[in-house]
Amino acid sequence: MVRQATRRRFLQVAGVAGIAGLAGCGQNGDGDDGDGDGNGTETETPADGDGGGDGATRLTWHAGGTGGTYFPLSNEFKTVVEDNTEFTLNVQSTGASVENVGSLANGDADFALIQNDIAFFAKNGTGIDVFQDNAIESIRGVATLYPETITLVTLSDTGITQLSDLEGATINTGDLGSGTQVNAQQILDAVGIGENYTEQNASFSQAADQLRNGDIDAAFVVGGWPVGAIEDLANTNDIVIVPIAGDNREAVKDAASWFADDTIPGGTYTGVGDDVETVAVQAMIATREGVPADTVEGVTAAIFDNVDDLTIKTDFISRESAQDGMSIELHEGSQAYFSDMMTETEMG
């Protein structure tokens, strides 16, 4: 079974290299958990926490892939942070959530975008095998951002219209070790597909090519809609977004409490005119314990004091909602910002 082989390979890598080695296992990353293409910029020196030297103003921010939402949104954060603070942000394309936890754990990243469920697993040493009894105690929360929609996409000529049609299919569950892969496997288990499918692991953009070429039957994508790779696919092929609805949706939510109801509005993608019910997790900004409090507070303030300068996910990103779904302990710098903001609101 392909699923078993790829999962075993991932766990072998993690077991040999340790959690810090996760930063190297997703060079063709996926997830929005966006789909990385391995062409991210080189890492600059992360902030070292001593408050001195140029290293204190150069921060490394790990995003996701270029076909998802994490990477372009992170570059908008880069602009507002650099326009409003003394910090410079080096934004890297990565394999997103699980890989980014590893980057935070070993100090290669100062900030990263991850899913709230993956953050919970990492902090508590549970949930998925790579974190089981191997808690990443240094990870800290900054803010939650927007729902990360689970999109199950196929082409009309596959005949797949509901989850039960996936039995025996070839499915791209996202890049190996990504949050997308974790969510896909959780969903397939919850609705009774189990391991009765052939698993492929590749980025969103690569998955779109696989669908075009008939190499796979369906693909899971986790990201705020519209996802660029799906938009491109819909412009060249007749796509179907498979709903996660009714009893299936309830089963998924019963199996994992971090899933919430979500809907992809009709018209989001060419040829998909009706709303499609599904589920979502939450995107969030994370950091690590060693980043100075004033650094985290400054970066947090730059982003949330200048939300009007953003163009991506502006219907969701706000100071007022930035702790909704926060699944781990806040960094003291973020806590200071949001506490001050609440005080100002009360006094105002």
Side-chain angles (χ1 to χ4, degrees), residues 182-203:
V182 172
N183 294 149
Q185 292 177 351
Q186 290 166 338
I187 290 167
L188 292 168
D189 286 344
V191 302
I193 301 298
E195 296 187 354
N196 191 18
Y197 65 97
T198 299
E199 182 176 41
Q200 293 290 319
N201 300 105
S203 70

Side-chain angles (χ1 to χ4, degrees), residues 94 103 168 170 233 264:
T94 72
S103 299
T170 300
L233 180 65
I264 303 170

Side-chain angles (χ1 to χ4, degrees), residues 215-232:
D215 296 329
I216 61 172
D217 300 305
F220 280 89
V221 178
V222 180
W225 47 260
V227 175
I230 300 178
E231 283 187 302
D232 292 344

Side-chain angles (χ1 to χ4, degrees), residues 137-333:
E137 297 181 358
S138 61
I139 192 172
R140 295 290 184 270
V142 175
T144 55
L145 298 170
Y146 60 88
E148 292 206 79
T149 305
I150 312 296
T151 304
L152 176 55
V153 60
T154 184
L155 300 186
S156 60
D157 59 8
T158 66
I160 296 172
T161 60
Q162 55 189 347
L163 286 171
S164 60
D165 295 331
L166 294 174
E167 191 165 349
T170 300
I171 307 169
N172 190 312
T173 61
D175 197 51
L176 196 63
S178 69
T180 299
Q181 185 191 31
V182 172
N183 294 149
Q185 292 177 351
Q186 290 166 338
I187 290 167
L188 292 168
D189 286 344
V191 302
I193 301 298
E195 296 187 354
N196 191 18
Y197 65 97
T198 299
E199 182 176 41
Q200 293 290 319
N201 300 105
S203 70
F204 295 169
S205 297
Q206 291 169 322
D209 289 337
Q210 288 177 321
L211 282 167
R212 289 188 185 97
N213 296 334
D215 296 329
I216 61 172
D217 300 305
F220 280 89
V221 178
V222 180
W225 47 260
V227 175
I230 300 178
E231 283 187 302
D232 292 344
L233 180 65
N235 288 333
T236 59
N237 296 81
D238 294 331
I239 70 166
V240 173
I241 305 297
V242 180
I244 303 173
D247 291 343
N248 282 330
R249 183 154 73 173
E250 294 308 310
V252 169
K253 292 190 297 180
D254 287 345
S257 60
W258 44 84
F259 286 119
D261 291 350
D262 200 6
T263 300
I264 303 170
T268 299
Y269 299 110
T270 300
V272 183
D274 296 330
D275 292 352
V276 180
E277 293 183 353
T278 185
V279 292
V281 290
Q282 189 88 345
M284 61 176 282
I285 304 171
T287 186
R288 55 185 170 83
E289 188 176 28
V291 180
D294 57 352
T295 297
V296 176
E297 184 174 4
V299 169
T300 306
I303 292 170
F304 287 93
D305 287 350
N306 296 282
V307 171
D308 290 345
D309 292 337
L310 304 176
T311 66
I312 298 172
K313 293 299 170 187
T314 54
D315 289 345
F316 301 101
I317 300 174
S318 71
R319 291 188 299 179
E320 292 71 26
S321 64
Q323 297 308 308
D324 294 350
M326 177 55 67
S327 57
I328 60 173
E329 174 187 354
L330 282 182
H331 191 284
E332 59 182 323

Side-chain angles (χ1 to χ4, degrees), residues 38-44 60-62 71 75 89-94:
N39 294 324
T41 53
E42 292 299 316
T43 305
E44 292 187 33
T60 300
W61 184 295
H62 283 196
F71 188 74
N75 278 290
L89 262 60
N90 177 276
V91 173
Q92 286 191 257
S93 170
T94 72

